[in-house]
Every structure is written in C-alpha cells, then in structure tokens.
Amino acid sequence: MAVDRERIAALTRELLLAVGEDPDRPGLRQTPQRVADAYAEFFSGVGVDAAEPLSHTISVAHGPAPDTLPSGVVMLRDIRFRSVCEHHLLPFAGRAHIAYLPGEQVVGLGALPKVVDVLAARPQVQERLGEQIADTIAGSLDARGVLVVLDAVHQCVTMRGGRQSDTSTVTVSARGALADPVQRAEVMALVGAASAGEAAS
C-alpha cells in the first residue's frame, strides 16, 4: 500500500496546531508536505518483500567462475542504514555488518544492502531489525550460518530524556553455524577490526 501523503500532510498540520504553532505562517506553510514526502521515503519498505533482492543467486559449484567463489565466510561491513524508532517516531542510524557461510548459493554483494534498506524503511526497533535481516538471509539462501551486527545511534536516547549524546546501541543476531560461540567470535573479531581501523583513521 502506497504511503498516503495527503493524510500525513493533514495530520502534520494538526500536530503543528496541537503544539501551539501557526501552520499558516511563512516558515511552516510547506512543512506538512515536506513531512509527507520525508515519511514516504522513511517508510517505503512497508509491505515490500525484503527477500526479493536475494532471488537471483549464483551457484558456487556451477557458477561462471567456481574457482574464485568463497569456501568460507562472506562478510559485508559498514552498510550504512537509517530507520525510525516505532516508540517515538524518531530516527536512528548506523552501520550494519553482515556475514554468511554460503552453502551452494551466493548472491551479488549489492543484494545485502538492499535487504537492509527495505527492512529499515519501516517503523522499527533495532533488536527486531537485526533479527529480520538474519531471518531473511537465512530463509532465502541455503546459508550454513548468518550473523548480523547492527551499531546505531538513536535520537530517542541522544535528544530526549537523559540525552546520552555519545551512546550507541549494538545488537547481534546469529543463525546456524555462526550461532556457535567460537565461529561467531571469529566473525565478531573482523567487525571489531573494522571499527578499530575506522577509529584510527
């Protein structure tokens, strides 16, 4: 179902009235439509099949270059994402790190960020977002294991209440062989190495 921009604009006007503002003053006249356009982008993943980007797979054994395809873990680090917290409708944003152990199938690396984008473009909580990404990959590929690490900053934490401006939230979701503590630790070390390198640069 498409986002109802007209309804969002009308509700935004009501919200401005509810906080004591004048939605007809020059600075706010275009705000309802701007908010409607932004929400259409923020929530464009509602009702969209997140598994669709994974529908085109490559056979490890019979692919175009079987000698070059991985026998170990495939990891894509530092996938930038943004979402909206369903509790306060405030943004949270960060980076996703995704690893999977291929079975017979792999996907193009560009497919994994698309899965993140679709699932993040919904009202979300970070814990569920990581689980949904892991479930989508595990359910769409014959992966022997999946690990998803999300590291994000939430405006509901940094801009309200205690206002912990330097706080980020890390969640880990694991499936299959990568739920094993030893194998998971090896992949987490790669994530940590990426974070350390970024901090040093």
Side-chain angles (χ1 to χ4, degrees):
M1 184 179 69
V3 172
D4 188 339
R5 298 187 189 212
E6 184 175 336
R7 190 174 182 186
I8 293 172
L11 291 169
T12 302
R13 181 180 172 84
E14 287 298 313
L15 177 62
L16 291 169
L17 288 168
V19 300
E21 261 291 0
D22 175 10
D24 293 316
R25 70 174 174 83
L28 291 176
R29 277 184 199 147
Q30 300 302 316
T31 297
Q33 189 58 53
R34 290 187 185 114
V35 171
D37 292 342
Y39 271 37
E41 180 180 345
F42 291 162
F43 302 124
S44 60
V46 175
V48 176
D49 180 8
E52 195 281 330
L54 303 176
S55 61
H56 305 290
T57 61
I58 303 166
S59 168
V60 172
H62 303 99
D67 293 338
T68 66
L69 289 169
S71 59
V73 69
V74 176
M75 184 172 190
L76 200 59
R77 301 187 298 201
D78 296 321
I79 302 167
R80 292 186 179 273
F81 74 92
R82 59 104 181 97
S83 191
V84 176
C85 171
E86 67 182 31
H87 296 155
H88 300 97
L89 293 184
L90 289 172
F92 65 96
R95 297 175 187 238
H97 312 282
I98 299 175
Y100 74 100
L101 280 167
E104 169 55 24
Q105 300 170 333
V106 294
V107 290
L109 295 178
L112 298 176
K114 291 176 183 176
V115 172
V116 176
D117 287 344
V118 170
L119 291 169
R122 303 172 179 179
Q124 276 289 11
V125 294
Q126 182 174 329
E127 298 88 339
R128 183 176 66 224
L129 176 59
E131 296 296 323
Q132 289 178 340
I133 295 168
D135 284 340
T136 300
I137 297 169
S140 301
L141 304 178
D142 62 342
R144 292 173 286 134
V146 178
L147 185 72
V148 177
V149 180
L150 303 182
D151 187 350
V153 175
H154 294 247
Q155 288 193 10
C156 58
V157 175
T158 62
M159 299 185 67
R160 62 175 298 279
R163 299 185 186 180
Q164 299 296 317
S165 59
D166 296 326
T167 299
S168 70
T169 300
V170 177
T171 55
V172 180
S173 304
R175 301 289 183 273
L178 293 181
D180 174 75
V182 174
Q183 293 202 51
R184 184 172 61 212
E186 291 178 356
V187 177
M188 290 293 292
L190 295 174
V191 174
S195 300
E198 180 184 328
S201 60

